[in-house]
Amino acid sequence: MDLQGFGHLLISGTWMTIQLALSSLLVGLVFGLIGAAAKLSKNPLARWLATGYTTLVRGLPELLLVLTIYFGGSQLLMWIAGWFGYTEYIEIGPFVAGVAALSIAFGAYATEVFRMALLEIPKGQWESGLACGMSTLRTFFRIILPQVWRLAIPGLGNLFQVLLKDTALVSVVGLNDIMRQSQVAISATKEPFTFFMVAACIYLLLTAATTAFTMFMERVANPAARGNRA
């Protein structure tokens, strides 16, 4: 397949897509854990805020989130900076806007994955940790969280695949990802089928690698299942 000298653009676009996806994953996991903890909290305000977050974000298209944060985020930051006497223009780059939008969306769905995983942990696990003199926070990180990861990995793996494909939406605000670089090549060569086909193959390779890694992590996190397969 002749890429007419635009192969390097597709490679750089692939690297940008990977960076965007991994950055959004890391931030989104934090949002998901905080959201799940808030939903299971005894504090009614925390539960109300977490429920509002998941309901609102899951009801909005990811493209709308990207556009809102990219175009509205600068105005919001300038308004806040104005309180401190700063009057210069503040611009949010496409990468930052993409990470913010995709991580917020990922976090809303991950909240439910983590919430269900936390509900699967017997209450006796918490009580045992506290009985051993651990604080609630230490019990969570030392006893509860490792078990939560084991239960949440399949759901998180599926969400990451969706996130990986949603990175294509950020191309509309100028991020040089796979889709953006493909469009640049198409505008010069007038061969949309070739470059869109190559882009599709790249996304398929990325999702296949993600699937293989998720299955590996499931086996690592579940020694009992690994022993049964053997």
Side-chain angles (χ1 to χ4, degrees):
M1 184 176 291
D2 185 11
L3 298 180
Q4 302 185 36
F6 288 95
H8 68 285
L9 288 183
L10 296 177
I11 293 174
S12 65
T14 301
W15 176 234
M16 179 60 69
T17 294
I18 293 172
Q19 293 181 76
L20 178 61
L22 292 179
S23 300
S24 301
L25 172 66
L26 293 177
V27 179
L29 287 174
V30 176
F31 285 166
L33 282 171
I34 294 174
K39 274 202 165 186
L40 297 175
S41 171
K42 296 180 180 179
N43 188 321
L45 178 60
R47 293 198 305 270
W48 182 83
L49 290 174
T51 301
Y53 163 61
T54 55
T55 302
L56 176 64
V57 173
R58 290 190 297 170
L60 295 176
E62 282 77 1
L63 178 59
L64 183 59
L65 285 175
V66 172
L67 295 175
T68 299
I69 293 176
Y70 182 71
F71 292 107
S74 296
Q75 298 181 11
L76 177 61
L77 290 178
M78 289 176 63
W79 178 62
I80 295 174
W83 295 354
F84 303 95
Y86 187 84
T87 57
E88 298 294 329
Y89 180 72
I90 300 175
E91 181 180 2
I92 293 182
F95 184 84
V96 174
V99 170
L102 295 179
S103 59
I104 288 173
F106 181 90
Y109 291 98
T111 292
E112 296 303 322
V113 173
F114 283 128
R115 184 178 70 87
M116 295 305 298
L118 284 168
L119 290 174
E120 289 293 322
I121 305 298
K123 291 184 178 180
Q125 300 281 347
W126 288 96
E127 297 169 354
S128 298
L130 297 175
C132 292
M134 294 184 182
S135 64
T136 301
L137 194 61
R138 190 171 185 182
T139 300
F140 176 75
F141 282 105
R142 293 288 299 274
I143 298 177
I144 305 302
L145 189 57
Q147 299 179 73
V148 167
W149 284 121
R150 178 174 58 83
L151 296 171
I153 283 175
L156 294 176
N158 289 333
L159 290 180
F160 181 68
Q161 290 204 12
V162 175
L163 169 66
L164 189 60
K165 291 179 287 186
D166 283 344
T167 57
L169 300 174
V170 189
S171 64
V172 301
V173 294
L175 184 71
N176 292 323
D177 68 332
I178 296 173
M179 292 305 299
R180 175 75 173 177
Q181 300 291 43
S182 297
Q183 291 166 357
V184 171
I186 289 169
S187 65
T189 63
K190 310 303 180 187
E191 294 186 11
F193 179 80
T194 298
F195 288 96
F196 282 144
M197 180 61 67
V198 172
C201 291
I202 293 174
Y203 279 113
L204 286 173
L205 286 174
L206 292 177
T207 53
T210 300
T211 299
F213 182 73
T214 301
M215 294 176 65
F216 170 75
M217 290 301 297
E218 287 182 37
R219 295 188 63 189
V220 170
N222 194 349
R226 185 168 68 247
N228 291 336
R229 290 175 186 172

